[in-house]
DNA sequence: TTATCATTCAACCATATGGTTGAATCAAAT
DNA sequence: ATTTGATTCAACCATATGGTTGAATGATAA
């Protein structure tokens, strides 16, 4: 019946745009205000503010007021939700190529 | 300057729809034809075919002709591209909460 | 209080997206 | 050669998305 999982719609939808991924990258490195962010892009401030709002609705970032400005923070938990979902596909497929699995195997057998 | 990275636009865009995520999940478990997949959803065959086409353009699945049918296969490498991208944000943020990092630390120190 | 800076809101526009139906193609079976 | 089954294509529709501009709001500084 396709459980709607609106959260994932918003998260992946937010990640589907290069400007928003770039904003998320900058914000992952450290806090920024909207107008600081806007300087990097060839579009209006309002357009950047909309992108930030999309990221916020997806739960990928939060805004905190600080004086006149609003400071954008990354919300790493939400990124992990998306990452966890992707690993579901890999688990279903039975791939388990990744380094984590390799290390787990090594740990189990005591190998190095 | 926001490197467009069209591939990621398509991958995350494809994942932003619940029907497509469900198709990807089913296909991750095993091969399916378009009309098999279509039985699960309350929409026309053509609509499902469009969703499959979006997944294909993103490189998340491939179609192979087999007689009259076309069989859909998952393309796990592409899922890993998306997963790797997500882990970039986490690395930028400096989080490294995950089990992989823990194990790496244990391996480095020889702990168990 | 007024001016200023940062952000948001509203209206608008063009294009993309997700769905429909009906016709067209492609491969196999009769 | 014709029929049947599976998929694709084309035209169409409604709504969402990504951008614009100009006005409104919020918070500080003068």
């Amino acid at each position: 019946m396709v459980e709607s999982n609106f959260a994932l719609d918003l998260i992946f939808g937010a990640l589907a745009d290069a400007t928003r991924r770039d904003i998320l990258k900058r914000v992952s490195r450290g806090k920024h205000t909207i107008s600081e962010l806007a300087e990097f892009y060839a579009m209006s401030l309002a357009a950047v503010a909309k992108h930030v709002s999309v990221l916020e609705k997806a739960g990928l970032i939060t805004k905190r007021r600080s004086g006149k400005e609003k400071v954008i923070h990354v919300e790493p938990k939400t990124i992990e939700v998306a990452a966890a979902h992707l690993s579901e596909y890999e688990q279903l497929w039975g791939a388990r190529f990744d380094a984590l699995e390799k290390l787990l195997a090594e740990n189990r057998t005591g190998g190095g």
Side-chain angles (χ1 to χ4, degrees), chain A:
Chain A
M1 272 302 99
V2 194
E3 13 145 352
S4 290
N5 211 335
F6 202 55
L8 285 173
D9 287 18
L10 293 181
I11 294 169
F12 287 122
L15 292 169
D17 179 278
T19 301
R20 287 195 293 264
R21 287 195 304 274
D22 196 75
I23 291 173
L24 193 57
K25 198 172 275 183
R26 288 180 193 280
V27 169
S28 295
R29 279 191 239 267
K31 305 162 194 173
H32 282 280
T33 66
I34 309 257
S35 31
E36 262 170 33
L37 288 168
E39 289 175 17
F40 298 110
Y41 311 105
M43 68 185 72
S44 69
L45 177 71
V48 174
K50 272 197 193 179
H51 281 305
V52 169
S53 163
V54 170
L55 289 165
E56 189 185 24
K57 272 164 194 152
L60 287 162
I61 59 144
T62 51
K63 287 181 258 191
R64 251 174 269 170
R65 176 129 250 158
S66 165
K68 351 180 156 187
E69 303 171 337
K70 283 195 180 170
V71 181
I72 315 299
H73 303 255
V74 73
E75 212 57 60
K77 286 263 167 86
T78 305
I79 297 174
E80 288 188 35
V81 168
H85 187 79
L86 293 183
S87 84
E88 270 186 53
Y89 298 115
E90 290 170 349
Q91 282 168 358
L92 286 173
W93 182 63
R96 317 281 19 181
F97 276 157
D98 53 282
L100 171 59
E101 184 64 11
K102 244 175 151 177
L103 279 168
L104 283 167
E106 283 170 8
N107 268 26
R108 264 186 245 107
T109 59

